[in-house]
Each structure stands twice: as C-alpha cells, then as structure tokens.
Amino acid sequence: MPHVPGLLKGLGVTFKTLTKPAVTVQYPHEKETPAPRSRGVIALKEENCTVCMLCARSCPDWCIYIEGYKTKAPPRRAGGKPRTIQLLDRFDIDYALCMYCGICVEVCPFDALFWSPEFEYSEPHIADLLHDKDKLGEWMETVPEPPPLEAGAQKGR
Ligand code: SF4
Ligand code: SF4
C-alpha cells in the first residue's frame, strides 16, 4: 500500500518541475559553442609526421594505427647526400576506443597532432568512427589558431 501523502507530495514536485523551462541545453535543437581549445577531435598535419610512432606507443587505448615506408629525399644543402625519410601509408585513429586523454597530442615531438573543438561526428555504424589520415587531415581546417606568443618570447628557438 503506497504512502498517500508522500505520493501526493512527490507528484506535486513532478508537476511543478514539468511546468518549468528545461535547464539543460536541448541539443541538437540548441547548440553551445565549445571553448576554442576544447578536445573535440584530433587533427593530423601529415607533412609534419615523421612516422616516429611515439603517439601510437603512448596511447593507453592502442587506438592509433600507423604504417609507414622509407624513401629517399633530396639533400638539405647543394652537394649533400640524399636523405632517407619515412612517409605515412596509414594513420588511423579509432574514436570508438579513444578516451580523449590527449597524450598523443602532448607527446608528438613534431607538431603533427592538434585538438579541434569539432565534436559533431557521431556515426550510426561504429566502424565509421575509424578516421583515416585523409579525414584526420581534413580536421586541420577546424583547428583554431594558437594563442599569440607571450611578450618577450621568440619564435623558432
Ligand atoms: S587522445 Fe588518448 S586515447 Fe585518444 S588517441 Fe590520443 S592517446 Fe589515444
Ligand atoms: S608522434 Fe607525431 S610525428 Fe610521431 S608518428 Fe605520431 S603524429 Fe607522427
């Protein structure tokens, strides 16, 4: 047997709350602008990547998949020897596994990974959350400009 006064009191709270406007953002009808440096998606600047594998080895979720190959590049100076460089065959991030810890972005020694605040990339099929290097490269367009250098700081030192 329910406790009637308690039940009525509870229903009173329910009806009072029903008539109040919602306090949460009614996504997707309403959208908030995320903070510019928020962690939405990781973007890849492919030309900066040296295939050093540090990001993949540091990822706690093992959700970065990299394959590369060696090739010859012209010497840096006239008369120098051709260099051996590594280029990317494959660079995928599986956002179905990623926990957005940011370790990969932090450890990359060559400024090849950046956070973008873009977050609207949900997919009906989980396999489509695997972003390949082309898709990760497209996210670069959504990466905000870095904040200006502090007074007294110099570039390239
Ligand atoms: S943010 Fe963290 S979990 Fe996601 S890919 Fe980078 S290191 Fe891995
Ligand atoms: S740490 Fe940076 S340079 Fe090294 S493989 Fe990852 S993205 Fe490329």
Side-chain angles (χ1 to χ4, degrees), residues 42 55 58-64 93 97-105 115:
I42 296 161
C55 54
S58 309
C59 173
D61 287 352
W62 295 97
C63 64
I64 304 178
I93 296 181
L97 294 174
C98 175
M99 61 176 178
Y100 300 83
C101 65
I103 290 174
C104 53
V105 178
W115 280 114

Side-chain angles (χ1 to χ4, degrees), residues 53 81 92 97:
M53 301 281 181
K81 285 187 183 168
D92 299 344
L97 294 174

Side-chain angles (χ1 to χ4, degrees), residues 16-24 26:
K16 214 164 98 185
T17 311
L18 271 179
T19 56
K20 284 185 186 168
V23 291
T24 49
Q26 300 300 292

